[in-house]
Amino acid sequence: MSGDKNINSPCTSLSKHNASALHTGPRKKATSSNPLVLHGRHFGQTVFALCNFPALLTASILRLEELQDTPIEDYPADVRHKHRVFMELIDSYPGLLAHLTDGEEEDIIHMGELVRVSGAQGDDTKTLKSAVLEWLMPRGQPLIPPLSQNIKLDHGFNHDVTSRLLCPAGLDWSDVGTKHSLKSGEITVSGDQWPMFLYAGYKYDPDDPWKNLLRSEILIFGFKHVFTSPSSVDKELKATCAGNAYLHGMKSVTKGSLAYIATQIQFSLSSSSIFSRTDTVTDSDNFYYSILDLLEDPDEIKEVTDLMTWWTRQVFPNSSSSQRSISKNSVLAKIWEKRAAFRELETADTN
């Protein structure tokens, strides 16, 4: 995982307690202060959220023995993805693999229960539900008619503002018939029919679907609210800001975190009252996976790299220096140019 070092090294309080969190003994309750619970919450937010971790750990430990004879490339795509998630979790928490391989099945299941992320997801859902309402209109402009923070029946396709943001890209929301069909449910929206709120300016170009995708203001606000701090939404992030990202040493935006925030915003805008992977209104499971599928598609690496660099500059401007472009006439550029020429010469001599 690209951010493993960043996630672990600054988190001194967690690393000091790794041994105690994995210690075999009386079952530890999954309290919010347990280091493994804290790490699991952040892992779900940044790497993979919609997962049954007890089942994942149990199956993955068994698969490790199979992989001695069968390479992971021979397994179906869904199994390869789960194995990748498992390896990222193992790499991000020192000592976890040894404890899992040495423990009994009940120990593995218990570790999975500690790592579960439903607590973080529930907390984020609760706080974003009200925060999103403040981001629907420019500051100082009232939302008409107003939306309730606690009752969501008038959200989703039942309100012009949220309906416009949830309208699938490619549909003409200004068309009266389209509005009516979305509200009545005559048009069923699946999770992979991405809504307009994913696009900057809420504008979609059918000839260039990548243009402005996953760069909207409401996504940036949601990301900052969850990972840096609610107060950072309205002001520039300070280097000393002790938000969720700071506590876990997070210095760049991950693909998983972007898909997670998009899914949270989608639910907040919807009329659904309870977040559920099986909810047919939001189709959150399909929505989340479809975004991850795009971000992890090797054929889209150029667009994805540009997107993730853009995001890191938006949220973590103080830590993106390594991703800044280098001036062509700078000393650093000259050094790298000379080094590249020297390597080419060495390669030519070897051949």
Side-chain angles (χ1 to χ4, degrees), residues 257-304:
S257 61
L258 187 51
Y260 176 78
I261 291 301
T263 305
Q264 286 283 4
I265 297 295
Q266 183 218 26
F267 171 77
S268 297
L269 294 171
S270 76
S271 59
S272 297
S273 57
I274 299 176
F275 185 95
S276 172
R277 294 175 58 181
T278 58
D279 183 4
T280 56
V281 175
T282 58
D283 196 17
S284 298
D285 200 65
N286 191 13
F287 180 75
Y288 177 82
Y289 273 106
S290 64
I291 292 177
L292 269 186
D293 286 345
L294 175 70
L295 297 179
E296 295 179 350
D297 187 342
D299 292 334
E300 306 295 332
I301 187 170
K302 180 182 182 301
E303 290 80 1
V304 172

Side-chain angles (χ1 to χ4, degrees), residues 60-166:
S60 298
I61 291 299
L62 294 174
R63 192 177 302 115
L64 288 179
E65 298 181 6
E66 300 174 0
L67 290 176
Q68 296 179 9
D69 302 316
T70 307
I72 189 62
E73 291 75 18
D74 291 349
Y75 286 82
D78 62 326
V79 175
R80 295 198 303 271
H81 179 264
K82 291 176 182 177
H83 181 72
R84 186 168 70 251
V85 172
F86 170 73
M87 293 307 300
E88 289 195 42
L89 176 61
I90 293 302
D91 291 342
S92 68
Y93 200 91
L96 181 58
L97 179 60
H99 184 83
L100 291 172
T101 53
D102 293 341
E104 302 293 334
E105 182 178 358
E106 61 178 7
D107 295 318
I108 297 175
I109 294 175
H110 179 60
M111 287 296 104
E113 292 172 346
L114 290 177
V115 175
R116 77 190 189 283
V117 299
S118 57
Q121 182 175 297
D123 291 345
D124 294 336
T125 299
K126 183 178 179 180
T127 60
L128 281 170
K129 184 171 61 175
S130 57
V132 163
L133 298 183
E134 301 176 4
W135 307 331
L136 296 179
M137 302 294 291
R139 183 174 297 279
Q141 293 187 21
L143 181 63
I144 302 175
L147 288 171
S148 170
Q149 294 185 4
N150 300 318
I151 301 175
K152 298 185 66 185
L153 294 177
D154 54 354
H155 292 47
F157 295 120
N158 299 315
H159 191 286
D160 272 1
V161 174
T162 51
S163 177
R164 179 172 67 91
L165 298 183
L166 289 171

Side-chain angles (χ1 to χ4, degrees), residues 2 21 56 62 65 71 86 95 106 167 170 182 191 194 197 199-200 233 242 255-256 258 264 269 294 341 346:
S2 60
L56 174 73
L62 294 174
E65 298 181 6
F86 170 73
E106 61 178 7
C167 180
L182 287 170
W194 292 343
F197 81 81
Y199 284 87
V233 171
K255 299 169 186 176
L258 187 51
Q264 286 283 4
L269 294 171
L294 175 70
E346 281 187 323

Side-chain angles (χ1 to χ4, degrees), residues 18-66:
N18 278 352
S20 63
L22 298 175
H23 178 67
T24 301
R27 289 286 176 263
K28 294 182 178 293
K29 294 182 179 180
T31 61
S32 59
S33 61
N34 187 295
L36 193 53
V37 172
L38 292 173
H39 186 76
R41 288 164 63 99
H42 187 69
F43 183 87
Q45 292 170 319
T46 57
V47 180
F48 194 66
L50 305 183
C51 182
N52 182 331
F53 277 96
L56 174 73
L57 295 185
T58 301
S60 298
I61 291 299
L62 294 174
R63 192 177 302 115
L64 288 179
E65 298 181 6
E66 300 174 0

